[in-house]
Amino acid sequence: MSTNTQVSPTQLRVAIAGCGVIGRTHAAAVRELPELLVTALIDEVAEASEALAAWVEEDGTPRPATFRTLAGALAGSAVDLVIIATPSGLHIEQALEVLEAGKHVVIEKPLDVSLDRANEILAAAAEAEAKGLVASVISQHRFDPASRAVDKARRAGRFGRLTSAIASVSWWRSQGYYDSGAWRGTWAMDGGGAVMNQGVHTVDLLLWFLGRPVEISAKTALLAHDGLEVEDTAVATVTFESGALAVLHATTAAYPGLTVRLQVMGTKGSAVVDNDHLEYFHAADAADNAESSMGLLGGGNQAADELAKYPEERVEALDPTVYPAGHVRQYRDIVEAIRQGRPAGVTIRDAVTALATVRALYLSSTLGQPVRIADVLDGKYNDTEVRTGSGHLEEVPA
């Protein structure tokens, strides 16, 4: 089906591939930006695309055309930007198709379920960038005011030397959540459990703040759900190139669901981000003798002062089904990148590093030994089958 939807000369025409829950989140984010207009929807289940088309139309927006395949949409509609919101195991394959067609692409996290085609997508993204195309992966929490405050402070050296971090994703997912789709909870299409799906954003922030990861040691388990191949609980320690150490924890077995919490600690300051809010922030200034402080926190909480530097942002709790604030903020960056001819704030390489870290976590748990991230990126473990549980030393490659 083709579309004759009228768009402003300044608008970018958007196609969304995948019309499930996350596809609707992207549609909600896109409608917040006047520079973007959804003109095409793609889903192999016609009822899903038609339902989302009706939802888009309810807002007074022209009804998008619907297609069963990505190829059909690229051939049958005028599109500038394609959003990939399909099951994770299809992401790289479809992104390559989009870039080959000469379109900008945004991929919902994670980049994919494996690194087998990582070099291919990296090369395609570099070639696309040379042609003025933008390729990005959703890591919306980089654009939260709290994350921006921590990133700006650590870049300026206000925390001194970063020494450690604790990242915890303590969520609950019912059995019904996993039973709602045959692909959920499988290695082939979901790529993993609590770490890959619920924890990958926190992994991305951890790497953004602490830098290049070197080695990871992990254990995984399936403790609260039935019929899954993947984990619902994982713990790991990560060593960074700087020497900093981190603890990573992710679970979908924390009833009724707790918060996502990231603590970053350094020799001159520390910060705590809890559920995307800056709960605590302290950075030593010239008049602050941190070494002489013996208090539990080592200084007053400066979080309110830091957040005041971002007055244009909404920092209160928001229902992401109504206003997906993080996605909206990231799409602002993507639109600016397209207009300015620059890379997006989150690149394909960023996503590859995060995916390699998650893959290394699963490998470490499977093999019962620490795994180096560089070895994963180099393809050393491409043929190693990961599993939930720990300590299968016989699986170590020669």
Side-chain angles (χ1 to χ4, degrees), residues 357-371:
T357 303
V358 174
R359 170 75 174 165
L361 182 151
Y362 290 142
L363 285 163
S364 174
S365 174
T366 298
L367 302 175
Q369 65 181 38
V371 169

Side-chain angles (χ1 to χ4, degrees), residues 232-296:
D232 62 15
T233 304
V235 294
T237 56
V238 187
T239 303
F240 289 84
E241 190 174 55
S242 67
L245 302 174
V247 175
L248 174 63
H249 160 257
T251 184
T252 54
Y255 185 84
L258 305 178
T259 61
V260 177
R261 189 173 179 88
L262 179 55
Q263 299 175 212
V264 178
M265 294 153 279
T267 58
K268 292 292 184 180
S270 302
V272 179
V273 178
D274 191 273
N275 261 17
D276 309 329
H277 296 275
L278 193 61
E279 181 178 282
Y280 179 80
F281 182 103
H282 186 89
D285 58 27
D288 182 14
N289 186 359
E291 292 184 0
S292 67
S293 174
M294 298 300 290
L296 180 63

Side-chain angles (χ1 to χ4, degrees), residues 16 18-30 48 51-56 58 85 321 324:
I16 300 176
C19 298
V21 173
I22 195 63
R24 181 167 295 204
T25 296
H26 283 274
V30 165
L52 186 53
W55 184 83
V56 170
E58 287 176 3
T321 63

Side-chain angles (χ1 to χ4, degrees), residues 41-358:
L41 297 171
I42 306 138
D43 203 295
E44 63 180 13
V45 179
E47 292 81 3
S49 57
E50 292 295 341
L52 186 53
W55 184 83
V56 170
E57 193 177 28
E58 287 176 3
D59 193 42
T61 301
R63 188 183 182 91
T66 58
F67 300 86
R68 300 291 288 271
T69 66
L70 177 57
L74 292 171
S77 63
V79 172
D80 302 302
L81 167 67
V82 178
I83 298 165
I84 306 296
T86 51
S88 303
L90 301 174
H91 286 181
I92 286 182
E93 174 186 341
Q94 293 180 327
L96 288 169
E97 186 177 354
V98 172
L99 292 175
E100 178 66 23
K103 312 298 182 183
H104 306 288
V105 66
V106 174
I107 307 166
E108 178 55 49
K109 63 81 183 170
L111 175 63
D112 209 286
V113 300
S114 78
L115 288 166
D116 293 351
R117 304 184 75 177
N119 288 335
E120 192 175 354
I121 189 66
L122 283 170
E127 183 178 346
E129 182 180 331
K131 296 177 181 177
L133 296 177
V134 168
S136 186
V137 179
I138 292 295
S139 287
Q140 74 268 29
H141 294 296
R142 287 197 186 192
F143 300 88
D144 295 339
S147 301
R148 292 172 62 198
V150 174
D151 177 62
K152 186 174 181 180
R154 65 98 182 170
R155 287 178 184 272
R158 296 179 63 199
F159 295 142
R161 178 181 181 179
L162 292 180
T163 56
S164 61
I166 301 172
S168 177
V169 180
S170 304
W171 285 1
W172 170 256
R173 288 292 184 267
S174 69
Q175 184 67 39
Y177 166 83
Y178 291 104
D179 293 342
S180 66
W183 63 277
R184 292 191 184 278
T186 66
W187 288 113
M189 296 305 290
D190 224 0
V195 181
M196 179 68 86
N197 274 288
Q198 286 72 33
V200 69
H201 287 308
T202 305
V203 171
D204 177 70
L205 286 180
L206 186 64
L207 305 188
W208 196 38
F209 293 153
L210 267 67
R212 182 181 295 278
V214 174
E215 187 178 82
I216 191 165
S217 182
K219 291 184 180 296
T220 64
L222 180 62
L223 302 174
H225 301 90
D226 298 320
L228 307 186
E229 298 173 0
V230 302
E231 87 290 353
D232 62 15
T233 304
V235 294
T237 56
V238 187
T239 303
F240 289 84
E241 190 174 55
S242 67
L245 302 174
V247 175
L248 174 63
H249 160 257
T251 184
T252 54
Y255 185 84
L258 305 178
T259 61
V260 177
R261 189 173 179 88
L262 179 55
Q263 299 175 212
V264 178
M265 294 153 279
T267 58
K268 292 292 184 180
S270 302
V272 179
V273 178
D274 191 273
N275 261 17
D276 309 329
H277 296 275
L278 193 61
E279 181 178 282
Y280 179 80
F281 182 103
H282 186 89
D285 58 27
D288 182 14
N289 186 359
E291 292 184 0
S292 67
S293 174
M294 298 300 290
L296 180 63
L297 291 178
N301 191 350
Q302 304 162 350
D305 292 338
E306 290 301 313
L307 286 179
K309 298 175 183 178
Y310 305 90
E312 78 285 0
E313 296 289 350
R314 300 175 63 180
V315 298
E316 71 275 14
L318 296 167
D319 181 351
T321 63
V322 177
Y323 183 88
H327 281 72
V328 173
R329 294 179 185 126
Q330 184 163 0
Y331 272 111
R332 289 191 194 126
D333 171 76
I334 290 166
V335 169
E336 289 178 4
I338 292 171
R339 299 300 192 206
Q340 298 171 10
R342 64 166 174 82
V346 181
T347 66
I348 296 294
R349 185 165 294 280
D350 292 332
V352 167
T353 303
L355 180 58
T357 303
V358 174

